Amino acid sequence: MSPRNEPDAVSFCREVLPAVSRTFALNIPVLPGPLDTAVMVAYLLCRIADTLEDEAHGPASAALLAELARLSRLPEGWQEDARRFTREALRELRAQTPAAELRLLEGMPRVLEALAVHEAPVREHVAACVATMTEGMGRMGDKGRVSGGGLGLESLEETMRYCYYVAGTVGEMLTRLFTWYSPAVAERAGKLEPRAVAFGNALQLVNILKDVREDLERGSCWLPRTVLAEYGVTPESLLAPDKRGEAMKAHGKLVAVAHRELRQAFEYVMALPREEHGIRLFCLWPLFLAVMTLRKVYGNEAVLEKQPVKISRRTVKWVLGSTKLLVARDSVLKMMFAALTAPLPA
């Protein structure tokens, strides 16, 4: 279905996507149709869940997440229920909620409408992902804000469990959607499925390490208190100038964990069939951007300062261009990945 004659609901999704995610606005269009719209709608529903988790705290957040999961199954009467849900959700969000996320939430009934035009397997895979994600967010959301009397998650295992709920589930869903679309991918399901969670976890953990200060200023922390304690810091003291050295050592240990997950994520991409260029690029771009981001934050005290740490547009352009040229050249991609991850801690 071409953008020119697609339903208005799908057009709305295409329009709002760049405002809520520059990365996915880049890589979703390289997917073949109708896989591109299936992934786009799935991403936007996951992004709505993310907004509810970040911007609506307490019992209201858990109730809204549960209702989002129910509506994602498109039950009878979902159109009217979705409009009511949107009105209730908008009342519960913080005043500082970004305008783009407000617009997406306002358009949630249209996102569901765009989901409804897809085949039954797509709807089932998307609904299953949203259900697992929202259940996990509802269970763990307040843990990142108050755990044992303070901020942070209790252990590295809890941090990785949180990564699973918000991103590893997406890796699983993407694999199912790829398998639904491509017989060639389906033949490799045995290699892809064991690595699917790591693909999502890796990207999420890099985001957590990049956004430490931003999360703390929002009243959240997804870092494990046990790892921080090894270096004499807590989430509450993480930004203290006199604790900077200890904080960066703890941060570096978690960079090593993210590096481990990225290596499994790279194995996931290498298991995708070379002839599926669009699916490979869709995965290669965020993976290599995450590698470059991890290189940027590793040992960089600026990650704890006011100004966000970001990779340059020039770096983004280089990643996109080089991987596009090398998308089917496994041996060169492996050398490129090894060279770029060499400075990261094992």
Side-chain angles (χ1 to χ4, degrees):
M1 187 181 295
S2 68
R4 193 171 299 174
N5 62 7
E6 68 190 7
D8 288 344
V10 178
S11 296
F12 167 78
C13 293
R14 288 195 197 279
E15 185 185 335
V16 77
L17 178 64
V20 294
S21 175
R22 284 181 294 178
T23 300
F24 280 92
L26 284 172
N27 71 341
I28 285 176
V30 304
L31 289 169
L35 182 60
D36 60 340
T37 57
V39 172
M40 175 176 64
V41 170
Y43 170 77
L44 291 176
L45 287 171
C46 292
R47 187 56 190 252
I48 289 170
D50 195 46
T51 298
L52 295 174
E53 185 207 26
D54 285 345
E55 309 296 345
H57 296 171
S61 174
L64 289 168
L65 287 167
E67 179 64 359
L68 175 64
R70 187 185 76 85
L71 290 171
S72 295
R73 294 193 292 271
L74 303 176
E76 186 176 349
W78 65 263
Q79 294 94 333
E80 181 55 39
D81 288 349
R83 287 189 285 271
R84 186 181 67 250
F85 168 87
T86 295
R87 292 192 297 270
E88 292 173 358
L90 289 171
R91 286 197 295 268
E92 296 293 341
L93 299 189
R94 297 187 315 150
Q96 301 91 336
T97 303
E101 296 185 23
L102 287 173
R103 182 164 182 247
L104 173 59
L105 188 52
E106 288 169 356
M108 192 271 245
R110 301 173 81 183
V111 179
L112 290 178
E113 190 180 333
L115 174 63
V117 305
H118 285 88
E119 294 180 9
V122 171
R123 300 196 304 269
E124 290 164 9
H125 295 327
V126 172
C129 174
V130 175
T132 304
M133 177 181 288
T134 52
E135 181 190 357
M137 285 179 170
R139 187 184 305 153
M140 297 197 68
D142 284 337
K143 283 189 174 185
R145 299 179 184 99
V146 182
S147 175
L151 289 168
L153 294 174
E154 185 59 34
S155 63
L156 181 58
E157 288 74 23
E158 274 210 331
T159 294
M160 297 311 297
R161 190 176 306 124
Y162 172 76
C163 287
Y164 168 71
Y165 284 132
V166 300
T169 52
V170 177
E172 291 176 328
M173 175 193 65
L174 287 171
T175 305
R176 290 168 187 148
L177 290 176
F178 296 162
T179 300
W180 159 78
Y181 169 80
S182 167
V185 174
E187 289 178 5
R188 300 189 175 205
K191 289 185 177 180
L192 292 165
E193 287 170 357
R195 298 170 173 85
V197 169
F199 180 76
N201 283 359
L203 304 184
Q204 182 64 27
L205 194 51
V206 171
N207 281 336
I208 288 172
L209 293 170
K210 173 177 68 74
D211 297 333
V212 172
R213 183 174 191 116
E214 184 181 335
D215 285 340
L216 283 168
E217 289 176 346
R218 194 187 279 138
S220 303
C221 181
W222 309 109
L223 302 178
R225 296 179 68 86
T226 49
V227 172
L228 298 181
E230 289 177 31
Y231 300 92
V233 287
T234 65
E236 293 81 4
S237 67
L238 202 55
L239 303 181
D242 62 335
K243 291 284 188 178
R244 192 54 47 90
E246 294 88 344
M248 290 311 300
K249 287 176 183 176
H251 190 269
K253 181 165 184 175
L254 294 168
V255 167
V257 177
H259 180 194
R260 177 194 70 198
E261 297 296 304
L262 282 169
R263 297 185 82 81
Q264 292 186 58
F266 182 70
E267 291 175 6
Y268 175 89
V269 180
M270 289 295 94
L272 290 166
R274 279 183 289 187
E275 61 268 28
E276 290 289 2
H277 285 194
I279 294 175
R280 268 201 165 197
L281 283 176
F282 172 85
C283 296
L284 280 170
W285 286 355
L287 174 63
F288 274 99
L289 290 174
V291 168
M292 300 309 288
T293 299
L294 202 60
R295 284 167 54 106
K296 184 95 173 178
V297 301
Y298 176 46
N300 184 358
E301 293 187 3
V303 78
L304 301 178
E305 302 291 348
K306 281 278 186 186
Q307 195 67 26
V309 175
K310 296 181 180 179
I311 56 176
S312 67
R313 289 184 180 180
R314 183 178 178 182
T315 298
V316 173
K317 191 174 180 181
W318 176 79
V319 166
L320 269 56
S322 57
T323 49
K324 205 169 185 178
L325 285 172
L326 303 173
V327 62
R329 299 182 63 185
D330 287 11
S331 59
V332 185
L333 282 171
K334 288 175 182 176
M335 285 191 288
M336 179 178 168
F337 182 82
L340 292 176
T341 55
L344 296 173

Short mmCIF file of all heavy atoms in Angstrom, two decimals, residues 15 34 47 60 70 74 83 86 89 130 187 196 228 283 291 307 311 339:
data_model
loop_
_atom_site.label_atom_id
_atom_site.label_comp_id
_atom_site.label_asym_id
_atom_site.label_seq_id
_atom_site.Cartn_x
_atom_site.Cartn_y
_atom_site.Cartn_z
N GLU A 15 3.24 10.70 10.12
CA GLU A 15 3.47 12.11 10.41
C GLU A 15 4.02 12.32 11.81
O GLU A 15 4.92 13.14 12.03
CB GLU A 15 2.15 12.87 10.24
CG GLU A 15 2.27 14.37 10.41
CD GLU A 15 0.91 15.05 10.35
OE1 GLU A 15 -0.03 14.48 9.74
OE2 GLU A 15 0.78 16.15 10.92
N PRO A 34 4.22 -4.79 3.72
CA PRO A 34 3.58 -4.02 4.78
C PRO A 34 4.27 -4.12 6.13
O PRO A 34 3.73 -3.68 7.15
CB PRO A 34 2.18 -4.65 4.84
CG PRO A 34 2.44 -6.11 4.55
CD PRO A 34 3.57 -6.12 3.53
N ARG A 47 5.64 3.33 22.41
CA ARG A 47 6.04 4.68 22.83
C ARG A 47 4.97 5.31 23.73
O ARG A 47 5.28 6.03 24.67
CB ARG A 47 6.29 5.55 21.60
CG ARG A 47 6.87 6.93 21.92
CD ARG A 47 8.16 6.78 22.72
NE ARG A 47 8.63 8.04 23.24
CZ ARG A 47 9.71 8.67 22.77
NH1 ARG A 47 10.41 8.15 21.78
NH2 ARG A 47 10.09 9.81 23.30
N ALA A 60 -2.40 5.67 38.99
CA ALA A 60 -2.98 6.06 37.69
C ALA A 60 -2.15 5.48 36.55
O ALA A 60 -2.69 5.00 35.55
CB ALA A 60 -3.04 7.58 37.57
N ARG A 70 -5.21 -3.73 27.15
CA ARG A 70 -6.53 -4.27 26.77
C ARG A 70 -6.96 -3.71 25.41
O ARG A 70 -7.42 -4.46 24.54
CB ARG A 70 -7.57 -3.90 27.84
CG ARG A 70 -8.94 -4.55 27.62
CD ARG A 70 -9.96 -4.06 28.63
NE ARG A 70 -10.44 -2.72 28.31
CZ ARG A 70 -11.43 -2.45 27.46
NH1 ARG A 70 -12.05 -3.45 26.83
NH2 ARG A 70 -11.82 -1.21 27.25
N LEU A 74 -7.81 -4.77 20.61
CA LEU A 74 -8.95 -4.32 19.80
C LEU A 74 -10.24 -5.05 20.19
O LEU A 74 -10.92 -5.66 19.36
CB LEU A 74 -8.66 -4.51 18.30
CG LEU A 74 -7.40 -3.81 17.77
CD1 LEU A 74 -7.20 -4.16 16.29
CD2 LEU A 74 -7.49 -2.30 17.96
N ARG A 83 -11.10 6.61 22.90
CA ARG A 83 -11.28 8.06 23.05
C ARG A 83 -11.39 8.44 24.53
O ARG A 83 -10.81 9.44 24.98
CB ARG A 83 -12.52 8.52 22.27
CG ARG A 83 -12.31 8.52 20.76
CD ARG A 83 -13.46 9.17 20.02
NE ARG A 83 -14.63 8.32 19.97
CZ ARG A 83 -14.87 7.43 19.01
NH1 ARG A 83 -13.99 7.27 18.02
NH2 ARG A 83 -15.97 6.69 19.02
N THR A 86 -7.91 8.21 26.15
CA THR A 86 -7.07 9.36 25.83
C THR A 86 -7.40 10.54 26.74
O THR A 86 -6.49 11.20 27.26
CB THR A 86 -7.26 9.75 24.35
OG1 THR A 86 -6.78 8.68 23.54
CG2 THR A 86 -6.50 11.01 24.01
N ALA A 89 -6.04 9.76 30.22
CA ALA A 89 -4.57 9.76 30.28
C ALA A 89 -4.01 11.18 30.25
O ALA A 89 -3.08 11.49 31.01
CB ALA A 89 -4.01 8.95 29.11
N VAL A 130 2.72 -5.52 23.72
CA VAL A 130 2.21 -4.43 24.56
C VAL A 130 1.74 -4.97 25.91
O VAL A 130 1.97 -4.35 26.96
CB VAL A 130 1.07 -3.67 23.85
CG1 VAL A 130 0.46 -2.61 24.78
CG2 VAL A 130 1.60 -2.99 22.58
N GLU A 187 13.19 -19.40 8.39
CA GLU A 187 14.12 -20.53 8.37
C GLU A 187 15.23 -20.37 9.40
O GLU A 187 15.83 -21.35 9.82
CB GLU A 187 14.73 -20.67 6.98
CG GLU A 187 13.75 -21.17 5.92
CD GLU A 187 14.39 -21.23 4.54
OE1 GLU A 187 15.62 -20.97 4.44
OE2 GLU A 187 13.67 -21.53 3.57
N ALA A 196 17.10 -12.49 20.43
CA ALA A 196 16.16 -11.39 20.20
C ALA A 196 16.06 -10.45 21.40
O ALA A 196 16.00 -9.23 21.25
CB ALA A 196 14.78 -11.95 19.85
N LEU A 228 26.38 0.33 42.14
CA LEU A 228 26.81 1.66 42.60
C LEU A 228 27.49 1.57 43.96
O LEU A 228 28.51 2.22 44.22
CB LEU A 228 25.61 2.61 42.67
CG LEU A 228 24.87 2.89 41.36
CD1 LEU A 228 23.73 3.88 41.61
CD2 LEU A 228 25.80 3.44 40.28
N CYS A 283 17.92 -3.08 11.56
CA CYS A 283 18.59 -3.49 12.79
C CYS A 283 20.01 -2.93 12.90
O CYS A 283 20.46 -2.59 14.00
CB CYS A 283 18.64 -5.02 12.86
SG CYS A 283 17.02 -5.81 12.97
N VAL A 291 26.43 1.60 19.50
CA VAL A 291 27.87 1.40 19.71
C VAL A 291 28.57 2.76 19.78
O VAL A 291 29.39 3.00 20.68
CB VAL A 291 28.48 0.54 18.58
CG1 VAL A 291 30.01 0.58 18.64
CG2 VAL A 291 27.99 -0.90 18.68
N GLN A 307 24.20 19.28 30.13
CA GLN A 307 24.03 19.15 28.68
C GLN A 307 24.02 17.68 28.27
O GLN A 307 24.94 16.94 28.58
CB GLN A 307 25.18 19.88 27.95
CG GLN A 307 24.94 20.15 26.48
CD GLN A 307 23.83 21.16 26.23
OE1 GLN A 307 23.54 21.99 27.06
NE2 GLN A 307 23.19 21.04 25.08
N ILE A 311 25.81 11.78 20.02
CA ILE A 311 26.74 11.63 18.90
C ILE A 311 26.38 12.68 17.85
O ILE A 311 25.25 13.14 17.76
CB ILE A 311 26.69 10.20 18.31
CG1 ILE A 311 25.27 9.82 17.87
CG2 ILE A 311 27.23 9.19 19.30
CD1 ILE A 311 25.19 8.47 17.19
N ALA A 339 36.31 -3.34 15.40
CA ALA A 339 37.13 -2.14 15.52
C ALA A 339 36.44 -1.08 16.37
O ALA A 339 37.07 -0.41 17.20
CB ALA A 339 37.43 -1.59 14.12
#
